[in-house]
């Protein structure tokens, strides 16, 4: 049995997987998709090439882990921000702001571009499912508003989020974008009464 570098096998496994994802991100940042090979990731992580397959089945699986790495923390941050507000209107604004804050913190644009161009169709479906679970927080808020056409309201609010995330990914100042989006959401919801 290989020597573990953590308090338990489970912790060791989680640390090693994070190390491999870090290594894959570094390889991708330095050389793009063409450079992402099992050998390059193993060398960057400092482990034997065949050892990486204890943690995932293929380079495509590792790429999916890179793309989806930030989703759990992102979803949790959005849900926490929504839950902190008292009214559905302010919850909708919190949903928008929290998503934009998360986009500004991470490497959303880079991950999104990997997702669009490099993932298998089944992996893209899994990423879509993660987005859908995130959008459910907004759908709950909109249902609580009790307004007509809740599906259309969700679509429009999500379109604001998506457009503003693209602006942040393109380099616009995140606070300015977030303030603009929050104002747009408030005006839309006030108009919808």
């Amino acid at each position: 049995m290989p020597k573990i570098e953590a308090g338990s096998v489970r912790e060791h496994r989680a640390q090693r997987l994070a190390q491999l994802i870090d290594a894959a991100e570094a390889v991708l940042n330095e050389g793009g998709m063409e450079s992402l090979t099992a050998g390059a990731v193993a060398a960057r992580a400092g482990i034997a090439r065949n050892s990486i397959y204890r943690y995932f089945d293929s380079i495509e699986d590792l790429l999916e882990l890179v793309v989806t790495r930030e989703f759990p923390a992102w979803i949790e941050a959005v849900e926490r921000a929504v839950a902190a507000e008292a009214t559905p209107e302010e919850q909708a604004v919190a949903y928008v702001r929290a998503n934009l804050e998360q986009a500004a913190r991470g490497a959303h644009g880079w991950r999104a571009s990997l997702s669009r161009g490099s993932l298998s169709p089944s992996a893209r479906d899994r990423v879509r499912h993660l987005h859908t679970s995130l959008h459910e927080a907004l759908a709950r808020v909109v249902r609580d508003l009790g307004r007509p056409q809740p599906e259309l309201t969700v679509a429009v609010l999500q379109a604001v989020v998506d457009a503003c995330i693209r602006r942040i990914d393109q380099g616009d100042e995140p606070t300015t974008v977030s303030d603009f989006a929050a104002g747009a959401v408030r005006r839309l919801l006030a108009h919808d009464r």
Side-chain angles (χ1 to χ4, degrees):
M1 180 167 174
K3 181 180 173 190
I4 65 170
E5 299 169 358
S8 70
V9 172
R10 184 179 185 172
E11 289 172 8
H12 172 78
R13 199 169 163 67
Q15 287 174 359
R16 185 60 64 144
L17 183 58
Q19 181 184 16
L20 290 166
I21 295 170
D22 289 344
E25 286 181 2
V27 168
L28 286 163
N29 278 324
E30 291 169 4
M33 271 305 297
E34 314 75 50
S35 64
L36 186 66
T37 65
V41 171
R44 184 69 179 228
I47 65 173
R49 182 182 178 278
N50 63 341
S51 295
I52 69 173
Y53 293 110
R54 294 182 186 146
Y55 302 92
F56 47 83
D57 293 330
S58 66
I59 287 298
E60 290 75 23
D61 290 344
L62 177 59
L63 184 60
E64 182 180 348
L65 292 171
V66 168
V67 168
T68 60
R69 178 184 223 181
E70 294 180 357
F71 262 104
W74 185 310
I75 291 169
E76 183 181 325
V78 169
E79 289 177 347
R80 194 173 44 251
V82 169
E85 297 299 331
T87 67
E89 289 83 0
E90 287 308 308
Q91 289 174 337
V93 171
Y95 174 87
V96 171
R97 282 195 183 273
N99 272 286
L100 299 180
E101 180 181 305
Q102 292 302 305
R105 291 181 59 246
H108 175 268
W110 176 75
R111 291 177 199 284
S113 112
L114 283 175
S115 179
R116 283 189 297 274
S118 304
L119 293 180
S120 69
S122 61
R124 278 196 301 275
D125 284 344
R126 288 188 292 275
V127 169
R128 237 183 321 278
H129 175 73
L130 289 167
H131 277 100
T132 299
S133 69
L134 178 61
H135 300 167
E136 182 52 35
L138 180 58
R140 285 190 303 270
V141 167
V142 169
R143 283 193 299 270
D144 289 347
L145 287 167
R147 307 260 172 82
Q149 301 178 320
E151 295 86 9
L152 185 55
T153 302
V154 168
V156 170
L157 293 177
Q158 190 59 52
V160 168
V161 171
D162 295 343
C164 289
I165 286 175
R166 281 192 300 278
R167 297 302 306 199
I168 289 170
D169 288 347
Q170 292 169 3
D172 284 10
E173 203 283 312
T175 302
T176 303
V177 174
S178 182
D179 290 346
F180 178 86
V185 168
R186 285 189 177 102
R187 287 187 298 278
L188 177 74
L189 295 179
H191 176 49
D192 192 31
R193 288 184 188 156

